[in-house]
Structures are given as C-alpha cells and as structure tokens.
Amino acid sequence: MIRKAFKKKSSGSKLDKFIEKYNLPREYLSINRKSVSRGVLVGLFWGFIPMPMQMLGVMAMTPFLRFNVPVAISMVWLSNPFTMPPMYYMEYLTGNLLLGKEGIEDIELTMEWFSENWDAIVIPLYTGTAFYSIVVSSFVYFLINRLWIASVRKEKAEKEKKRREHKNKLFSFEPSHTHSIQEDESKSDEK
C-alpha cells in the first residue's frame, strides 16, 4: 500500500528526461524503500532544527547520503510559519525537562523579548531540538521501513493467493451438466 503511492511512474517520462538533462544521480529521485525512508529521515532531521533555509541543509547532505531529495524537502516543509511556534516551544520545554531547568514563565512572541532572553533560551531550545531531530526522525525512519516491508509482504501474499485460486480453477473438474447419475437412476426407477 505505502509503496504503491510512490510507484506510479512510467519509464520514458519527463522525470527521466530531467535526470538525463542535468546528469543527476538516479538515487536522488528513486522511489524505493531505502531512498524514501532516508529522505524522510533527512527531511525531518533538518525540519526540527530552528534555523533559516533548512532546505540547504538537506542539499548539503546529498554528497554524503543517497536519498530521495523531493521527499526530504517536503518533510522540511512540515516546519512552516504556522507550525514553527508550537514546534519550537515544545522543543524548548523538552530541553528544559532534559536539563532539569524550570525555564522562563512569561514568554512573549516579540523580537525584543527574544533578543533580551536569548541566552536563557538557546541551550534548552537546542537540547530539545537535538532530541527531536535525532529521536523522532529515527523513529519515523524505522516506522516507514517497517510499513514498507509489511506492505510488500501483504502484496506478495495477495498475489500468491490469487495465483493459487487461479491454478485451482484451471485444474478442477466440474461436470457440464448439473444433475448427477443418482438422479438419472431415480428417475428411471420411477418410470
């Protein structure tokens, strides 16, 4: 199921022409379990980090790790102007919890407040960020792998079941007439 969503691509498509034109490694756009799950891992890792231009972080990893780049970039977009404040606040609270600190009580969403309190915020924020970037992205990576493998196994089992049913239909003998020999004999006895 999960891989069927990614597998809808025909050969000789615009994507193939794009890869050939710009001489890109096929792994950056390939749709397989390893490439997609690594793309999710890399994208979520950078998506949790509070920094500008997270997509550049994704692109900087391409020489070192082969993954589906469009999937990774789409995972980075999970942190957007609407989701950033709750994400970063959650990371700040988690960082305080991990460090055993109380944290700041009166938080304001103004640039002045952030510039005045930056020293008190930065260490808990990035401690929580490290936790979510590493733990959550790794958990989702393993979850995607397991779901993909389960999907492939289920698909293979369904194909095998259909193949066996088809084989049984081909080699089973069903008489063309619906009445049996006993019925013929009972009718002849009645006469």
Side-chain angles (χ1 to χ4, degrees):
M1 266 172 33
I2 191 170
R3 76 185 187 118
K4 282 184 182 179
F6 289 107
K7 283 286 185 184
K8 304 215 175 184
K9 177 186 101 56
S10 62
S11 61
S13 67
K14 292 179 183 179
L15 181 63
D16 291 333
K17 293 174 186 172
F18 179 81
I19 290 171
E20 288 176 19
K21 180 178 179 182
Y22 293 104
N23 198 23
L24 296 173
R26 184 158 286 286
E27 293 86 18
Y28 293 160
L29 299 168
S30 65
I31 300 170
N32 58 47
R33 178 180 56 88
K34 289 180 181 181
S35 182
V36 170
S37 58
R38 285 179 189 160
V40 169
L41 173 74
V42 169
L44 285 178
F45 177 84
W46 287 103
F48 279 110
I49 299 175
M51 61 179 265
M53 297 182 280
Q54 297 162 323
M55 290 183 286
L56 292 179
V58 168
M59 297 309 293
M61 292 189 76
T62 55
F64 308 107
L65 186 64
R66 301 292 181 168
F67 57 91
N68 187 302
V69 175
V71 168
I73 289 175
S74 66
M75 290 293 107
V76 166
W77 291 340
L78 292 177
S79 66
N80 56 58
F82 298 108
T83 61
M84 281 180 187
M87 280 177 60
Y88 297 159
Y89 184 65
M90 177 183 63
E91 291 172 357
Y92 171 72
L93 292 177
T94 304
N96 279 326
L97 180 71
L98 293 173
L99 294 172
K101 292 185 173 184
E102 288 293 320
I104 299 173
E105 298 264 337
D106 301 325
I107 296 175
E108 298 175 16
L109 295 176
T110 63
M111 289 304 291
E112 182 181 328
W113 184 88
F114 279 108
S115 62
E116 290 174 6
N117 295 297
W118 181 250
D119 294 337
I121 295 171
V122 71
I123 292 178
L125 174 66
Y126 280 96
T127 301
T129 296
F131 173 79
Y132 285 105
S133 286
I134 295 167
V135 173
V136 172
S137 62
S138 297
F139 173 74
V140 174
Y141 168 78
F142 288 114
L143 181 66
I144 295 280
N145 269 314
R146 292 294 140 216
L147 288 173
W148 197 294
I149 290 168
S151 174
V152 168
R153 286 181 181 158
K154 182 180 177 183
E155 189 176 313
K156 283 183 180 180
E158 288 173 358
K159 282 183 180 179
E160 181 63 24
K161 183 180 175 184
K162 285 181 182 178
R163 187 187 66 75
R164 273 188 265 122
E165 288 173 356
H166 183 67
K167 184 179 176 182
N168 289 339
K169 283 181 183 179
L170 287 176
F171 294 111
S172 66
F173 176 73
E174 293 182 18
S176 61
H177 56 282
T178 58
H179 62 282
S180 67
I181 296 173
Q182 291 177 348
E183 289 177 358
D184 288 340
E185 289 175 0
S186 65
K187 287 181 182 178
S188 63
D189 289 340
E190 290 174 2
K191 293 181 182 178

